[in-house]
Amino acid sequence: MFTFQPRWKEELVVTGPGGQFVLELPMGILSAYLPTESAWQEKAPDWAKDSYSQLKSELEAWCSENKAKFYIEEDAGVCVNGNWS
């Protein structure tokens, strides 16, 4: 359902059926950050709000395949349409 593409600004571009958003992806120690489920409801694009479980599962698998750490944090950023929240 989701595809993940790292980009140079320590960002992970996530593409899904309704569009794109960006998650934090620090490169010093490759790590992906996802907000908690409750924070996700406030930060996510409307089309992705109901897909948290699927996104979490697919992002965990991507991190495992790419030897990246995976963190779920309340204050993890999400960028939608160029705006970080």
Side-chain angles (χ1 to χ4, degrees):
M1 178 173 187
F2 292 98
T3 60
F4 305 97
Q5 180 64 48
R7 69 179 179 196
W8 67 274
K9 296 185 202 177
E10 296 191 331
E11 297 173 341
L12 183 63
V13 179
V14 182
T15 304
Q20 291 183 335
F21 55 89
V22 178
L23 298 174
E24 299 172 64
L25 186 70
M27 299 285 195
I29 297 176
L30 189 61
S31 309
Y33 288 82
L34 183 66
T36 61
E37 190 167 3
S38 60
W40 178 251
Q41 294 305 312
E42 297 173 16
K43 298 177 178 187
D46 289 339
W47 62 267
K49 286 187 180 192
D50 294 333
S51 301
Y52 184 84
S53 294
Q54 183 73 31
L55 172 62
K56 179 179 174 280
S57 175
E58 292 181 21
L59 184 54
E60 283 177 315
W62 183 87
C63 286
S64 178
E65 291 168 11
N66 290 277
K67 297 178 177 49
K69 294 187 181 275
F70 177 63
Y71 298 100
I72 297 175
E73 294 186 0
E74 187 77 23
D75 63 349
V78 177
C79 182
V80 179
N81 298 323
N83 299 308
W84 282 95
S85 59

